[in-house]
């Protein structure tokens, strides 16, 4: 009798184990299916409308009615916005994070900075866009590349900072001790930490770039939209996410097709930068101690 | 000279009293071995001498730890200056993420010890002294982490010495190496005593017998016995030291 | 030249208590000051954003009571009524659907990746979450329009109407256009799935091997071990992952805007169109200047998003630091 219940018990545990494995595989399979359908749809629908002109020309006057031209304005605009945002964000994030691991290590201030970064990470980018727009209105300015960069900086800053933070956290304490034991100041320690975490920083930069180039909500109010290439920081500028969004919103199938092509271009850009980030993490850093 | 003196020195980790009333004078230009079972506070004692202890959270110290006649825990003391004058060789070799050359040149550079044009010969001299020069002279600018463990530890020694310390702390610096490399490092350390005050933590009683001039025996955060090695090893006074030397405890 | 065997002539012996600041000390002080102010600037940014929104939204709250804004169902800016209940309800419903779908699946997937796969398999599966996490929201929106909306219209809504919808009217709509709460929830669930999966996996991977081995040594099955690692040791990290997923779903703009239908009323069923707070802001930016108080109303919506995200994050932080004595400075 007793043996029997025990056998039942084992059978039940084995059954639960198999059930959970099935559920887990099912969940991953579902996600894989969704990803496959996403990539496939973007590829199939995008390739149709993709042309050399899409990549190399700015929109003609009747572009949004189905006329000629391309979305070079959006491609260049997006790259400019993302690059600018990464530059601004890293100017704050890199020294800020190094501070968190040297001078500020273990203080309450640093704990609050981390919390702030987590809050900013979760903040909808439309909120950043709306805030920057309000400031623009106060100052009597119009939408511009600069304003778009500022809004995207807010989007990217927490991503860059928290990712880099985790990278620096992975630096072995042995390195900190070995450096300090030579009589270094904390500034020199910060430099050494930066050196050791350089590949991780590069990966974080690419991740941030990927996010900056894909975010449409932050630039919606701030960067504006134009059919020309940006000439100065104070001109409005087009961006890929908005190019997709606006073209999909028109009633013309030909224009909608071009939205799919633009989505394909954006996807490829994101994949390429994601790949760079992966390579940076695994192939860079000749002197880094592993 | 470079004598380290501890007056009634205490360390607490939070509530835990890790070192109790340490009263010691470590003689200059000799090798002092700190021995005792694991967890007795050997490493804590060593790391309190160059204030690496400061890196741990919730650490408190009390009373004085003197380098010659200056308290390194006094207010206003520049911790970087303390660590410049009191160097360290860690348990595991840990090269900086730089080239071999830059590892040795790092200390001289940040402390501006030599004119730039002399740096090459300074690096060569230090690498020669730790008997690494012939093995690395063709790849001075390759990453330091590609060296073997024993080579790395010799590089770390060269790096520590090139910063021109007066005292060198060694935290079981041969424990993680293979026997031959360990013996090499040990011989190097033994040859340093004319120029430096050496303080080493060691688990290896035979090593302490071979090279120590002065011995400190720690037990549960207290100094049980200390004295010249020539007196301590043949005739330990305290029963705990006798048991430890006879390997009955620890 | 050997430096070892003779007493070394030391070129400098830095004073322990420096009488004057050395050049390096100056660098160190300036570095400290500059880096600390940048770290403070990060806090300053959040404070400034909150300040701007409160200032702008405050105007609306002076004219209308808070309850009229939160519970009012009439959104007619041209007539001066700013009831935002439809947007609050729409946002909450969309987020709830997304969380209900994504959280269990994502946690299970994270556990699978961390506890069940071999390094080789993981190398194949890891790009799955990385790729999904990297996709721009607007691409998810395009996918939603092309795949999810037809799927909801032609498959999910009719099936639900014919089965469970018989009992629950909320799940029954025979004439769904597809642009609906359900479609937005589905799109969002795929967006937050990789975030939660990736963090769950990282958290579980950080659980000490000894804990796992100790459980295995008692004869536990993998799932029983996973329960210990995930729901005991890894719980704080998984909670943080869920909060991040929630924030992302709650505030997502373009992807939702493209599939949710944008109808400013409280949706009678899950298969009807709705409207979210973020969509409200995004859709009306062009015309907001002409109507009095309109901009302030939109800023109130932005403030609401901000307030929810801040309180969720701070709440979790307090819970994790106080209750579990982890997190915070970590």
């Amino acid at each position: 009798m007793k043996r029997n219940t025990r056998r039942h018990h084992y059978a039940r545990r084995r059954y639960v184990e198999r059930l959970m494995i099935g559920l887990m595989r099912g969940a991953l399979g579902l996600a894989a299916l969704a990803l496959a359908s996403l990539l496939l749809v973007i590829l199939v629908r995008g390739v149709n409308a993709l042309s050399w002109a899409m990549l190399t020309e700015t929109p003609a006057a009747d572009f949004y009615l189905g006329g000629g031209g391309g979305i070079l304005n959006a491609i260049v605009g997006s790259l400019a916005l993302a690059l600018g945002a990464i530059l601004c964000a890293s100017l704050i994030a890199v020294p800020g994070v190094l501070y968190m691991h040297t001078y500020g290590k273990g203080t309450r201030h640093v704990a609050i900075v981390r919390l702030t970064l987590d809050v900013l990470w979760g903040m909808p980018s439309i909120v950043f866009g709306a805030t920057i727009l309000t400031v623009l209105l106060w100052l009597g300015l119009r939408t511009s590349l600069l304003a778009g960069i500022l809004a995207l900086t807010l989007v990217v800053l927490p991503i860059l900072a928290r990712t880099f933070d985790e990278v620096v956290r992975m630096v072995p304490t042995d390195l900190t001790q070995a450096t300090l034991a030579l009589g270094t100041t904390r500034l020199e320690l910060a430099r050494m930490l930066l050196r050791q975490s350089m590949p991780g920083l590069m990966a974080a930069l690419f991740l941030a770039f990927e996010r900056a180039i894909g975010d449409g909500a932050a630039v919606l109010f701030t960067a504006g939209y134009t059919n020309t290439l940006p000439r100065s920081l104070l001109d409005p500028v087009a961006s890929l996410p908005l190019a997709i969004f606006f073209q999909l919103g028109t009633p013309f199938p030909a224009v909608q097709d071009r939205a799919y092509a633009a989505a394909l271009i954006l996807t490829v850009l994101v994949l390429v930068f994601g790949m760079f980030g992966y390579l940076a993490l695994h192939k860079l850093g000749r002197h880094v101690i592993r | 000279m470079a004598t380290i003196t501890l007056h009634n020195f205490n360390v607490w980790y939070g509530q835990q009293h890790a070192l109790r009333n340490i009263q010691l004078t470590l003689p200059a230009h000799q090798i002092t071995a700190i021995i005792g079972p694991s967890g007795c506070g050997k490493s804590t004692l060593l790391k309190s001498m160059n204030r690496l202890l400061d890196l741990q959270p919730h650490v408190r110290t009390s009373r004085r730890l003197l380098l010659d006649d200056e308290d390194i825990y006094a207010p206003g003391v520049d911790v970087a200056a303390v660590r410049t004058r009191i160097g360290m060789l860690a348990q595991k070799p840990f090269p900086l993420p730089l080239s071999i050359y830059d590892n040795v040149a790092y200390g001289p550079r940040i402390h501006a010890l030599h004119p730039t044009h002399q740096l090459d010969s300074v690096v060569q001299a230090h690498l020669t002294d730790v008997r690494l020069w012939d093995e690395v002279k063709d790849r001075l600018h390759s990453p330091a982490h590609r060296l073997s463990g024993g080579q790395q530890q010799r590089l770390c020694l060269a790096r520590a010495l090139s910063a021109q310390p007066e005292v060198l702390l060694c935290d079981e610096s041969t424990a993680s190496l293979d026997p031959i490399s360990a013996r090499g490092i040990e011989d190097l350390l033994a040859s340093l005593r004319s120029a430096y005050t050496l303080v080493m933590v060691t688990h290896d009683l035979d090593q302490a017998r071979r090279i120590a001039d002065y011995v400190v025996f720690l037990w549960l955060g207290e100094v049980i016995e200390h004295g010249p090695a020539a007196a301590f090893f043949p005739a330990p006074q305290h029963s705990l030291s006798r048991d430890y030397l006879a390997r009955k405890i620890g | 030249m050997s430096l070892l065997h003779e007493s070394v002539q030391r070129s400098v012996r830095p004073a322990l208590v420096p009488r004057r600041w050395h050049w390096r000390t100056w660098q160190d002080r300036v570095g400290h000051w500059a880096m600390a102010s940048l770290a403070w600037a990060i806090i300053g940014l959040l404070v400034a954003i909150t300040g701007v929104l409160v200032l702008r939204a405050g105007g609306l709250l002076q004219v209308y009571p808070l309850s009229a804004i939160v519970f009012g169902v009439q959104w007619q800016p041209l007539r001066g009524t700013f009831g935002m209940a439809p947007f609050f309800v729409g946002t909450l419903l969309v987020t709830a659907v997304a969380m209900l779908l994504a959280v269990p699946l994502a946690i299970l997937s994270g556990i699978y990746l961390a506890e069940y796969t071999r390094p080789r398999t993981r190398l194949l599966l890891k790009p799955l979450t990385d790729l999904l996490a990297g996709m721009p929201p607007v691409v998810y929106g395009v996918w939603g329009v092309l795949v999810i909306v037809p799927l909801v219209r032609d498959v999910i809504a009719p099936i639900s109407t014919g089965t469970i919808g018989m009992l629950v009217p909320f799940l029954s709509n025979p004439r769904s256009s597809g642009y609906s709460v359900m479609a937005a929830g589905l799109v969002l669930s795929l967006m937050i799935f990789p975030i939660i999966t990736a963090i769950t996996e990282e958290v579980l991977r950080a659980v000490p091997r000894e804990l796992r081995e100790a459980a295995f040594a008692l004869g536990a099955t993998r799932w029983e071990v996973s329960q210990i690692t995930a729901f005991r040791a890894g719980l704080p990290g998984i909670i943080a992952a869920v909060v991040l997923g929630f924030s992302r779903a709650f505030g997502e703009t373009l992807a939702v805007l493209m599939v949710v239908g944008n109808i400013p009323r409280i949706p009678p069923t899950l298969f009807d169109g709705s409207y979210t707070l973020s969509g409200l802001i995004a859709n009306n930016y062009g015309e907001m200047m002409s109507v009095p108080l309109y901009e302030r109303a939109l800023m109130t919506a932005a403030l609401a998003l901000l307030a929810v995200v801040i309180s969720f994050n701070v709440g979790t932080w307090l819970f994790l630091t106080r209750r579990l004595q982890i997190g915070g400075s970590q």
Side-chain angles (χ1 to χ4, degrees), chain A residues 13 17 25 37 103 188, chain C residues 24 28 112 134 143 223-224:
Chain A
R13 287 174 60 199
E17 175 80 14
R25 291 201 176 138
S37 83
Y103 300 99
E188 286 154 348
Chain C
R24 280 175 71 218
D28 190 46
Y112 188 78
W143 174 72
W223 172 245
E224 286 158 349

Side-chain angles (χ1 to χ4, degrees), chain A residues 119-133:
Chain A
V119 170
L120 285 175
W121 192 325
M123 195 68 70
S125 44
I126 191 96
V127 172
F128 296 137
T131 312
I132 297 282
L133 175 70

Side-chain angles (χ1 to χ4, degrees), chain A residues 78-79 82 152 208-215 240-241 266 269-270 273, chain C residues 136:
Chain A
S78 264
L79 289 173
L152 275 183
F209 196 93
E210 199 181 288
R211 297 299 291 279
I213 208 169
D215 197 299
L240 273 173
L266 181 57
L269 274 178
V270 163
F273 283 106

Side-chain angles (χ1 to χ4, degrees), chain C residues 67-196:
Chain C
S67 60
I69 296 170
V70 175
F71 298 113
V73 292
Q74 294 292 317
W75 175 259
Q76 284 159 332
L78 297 175
R79 294 195 200 145
T81 31
F82 296 100
M84 290 196 192
F87 307 102
F88 282 109
V89 173
T91 307
L92 288 178
L93 276 178
V94 166
T95 311
V97 171
M99 298 295 281
L100 281 176
L101 289 170
V103 169
L105 293 183
I107 292 180
L108 280 178
S109 301
I111 294 176
Y112 188 78
L113 286 176
E115 306 281 353
Y116 283 82
T117 52
R118 277 172 235 185
R120 242 175 134 59
T121 331
R122 195 174 317 125
L123 271 182
L124 289 174
L125 287 176
K126 195 82 183 97
L128 175 71
T129 52
D130 288 352
L131 277 177
L132 278 174
M135 283 296 155
V138 72
V139 172
Y140 277 102
V142 171
W143 174 72
V145 170
L146 289 175
V147 177
I148 294 300
V149 166
L151 188 72
V152 170
R153 182 185 59 216
D154 300 334
V155 180
I156 300 180
I159 290 181
S160 169
T161 306
T163 54
I164 194 169
M166 311 279 234
L167 299 169
V168 189
F170 191 58
L171 295 173
S172 154
N173 182 350
R175 287 185 308 279
S176 174
S177 68
Y179 291 91
S180 57
V181 173
M182 190 65 187
L186 280 168
V187 170
L188 278 181
S189 67
L190 189 65
M191 279 185 76
I192 60 174
F193 172 86
I195 300 171
I196 302 176

Side-chain angles (χ1 to χ4, degrees), chain A residues 9 13-14 16-17 20-21 23-28 30-35 37-39 41-42 45 91-100 102-104 106-109 111-128 130-131 133-135 137-138 154 157 159 161-162 166 169 182-188 190-191 210-211 213-217 220-221 240-242 244-246 248 259-260 263 266-267 270-271 278, chain C residues 24-25 27-46 48-53 55-56 104-106 108-109 111-113 116-117 123 125 127-143 145-147 190 193 197 218-224 226 244 247-248 250-254 257-258 278 281-285 288-289 295 299 301-303 305-306 309-310 313-314 317 322 328-330:
Chain A
H9 177 66
R13 287 174 60 199
R14 263 202 306 279
V16 169
E17 175 80 14
M20 293 321 292
I21 291 184
L23 277 177
M24 291 175 188
R25 291 201 176 138
L28 272 169
L30 219 56
L33 196 70
L35 177 66
S37 83
L38 189 151
L39 290 175
V41 162
I42 299 287
R45 297 297 291 261
L91 286 179
I92 303 174
V94 173
V97 168
L98 289 174
Y99 169 83
M100 290 158 67
T102 51
Y103 300 99
T107 59
R108 187 138 194 87
H109 175 202
I112 296 174
V113 172
R114 278 210 180 91
L115 173 64
T116 309
L117 286 170
D118 286 346
V119 170
L120 285 175
W121 192 325
M123 195 68 70
S125 44
I126 191 96
V127 172
F128 296 137
T131 312
L133 175 70
T134 308
V135 177
L137 291 177
W138 272 344
L154 292 174
L157 176 67
I159 300 171
R162 280 302 261 137
E166 293 301 322
R169 197 201 295 274
L182 290 170
T184 55
T185 61
R186 283 175 291 183
L187 188 64
E188 286 154 348
R191 229 175 269 160
E210 199 181 288
R211 297 299 291 279
I213 208 169
D215 197 299
L220 186 59
F221 307 149
L240 273 173
L242 296 187
I244 299 165
F245 183 62
F246 291 148
L248 208 58
Y260 305 138
L266 181 57
T267 308
V270 163
L271 292 185
Y278 180 83
Chain C
R24 280 175 71 218
T25 322
Q27 278 185 321
D28 190 46
R29 296 295 161 110
V30 172
H32 187 169
W33 176 83
M35 287 160 80
S37 25
L38 283 171
W40 279 110
I42 294 172
I43 300 176
L45 280 175
L46 182 60
I49 291 168
T50 315
V52 167
L53 290 184
L55 276 180
R56 294 310 282 172
L105 293 183
L108 280 178
S109 301
I111 294 176
Y112 188 78
L113 286 176
Y116 283 82
T117 52
L123 271 182
L125 287 176
L128 175 71
T129 52
D130 288 352
L131 277 177
L132 278 174
M135 283 296 155
V138 72
V139 172
Y140 277 102
V142 171
W143 174 72
V145 170
L146 289 175
V147 177
L190 189 65
F193 172 86
T197 305
L218 292 173
T221 63
R222 264 189 197 279
W223 172 245
E224 286 158 349
S226 307
L244 186 60
S247 306
R248 188 54 52 78
F250 190 75
E252 177 47 43
T253 310
L254 286 186
L257 197 60
M258 290 162 82
S278 53
I281 306 170
N283 258 346
N284 297 291
Y285 76 107
M288 71 183 206
M289 296 307 295
E295 187 220 340
M299 288 304 154
L303 184 64
L305 287 175
L306 176 116
V309 169
I310 289 186
N313 276 280
V314 175
W317 184 73
R322 295 278 156 77
S329 66
Q330 291 170 1

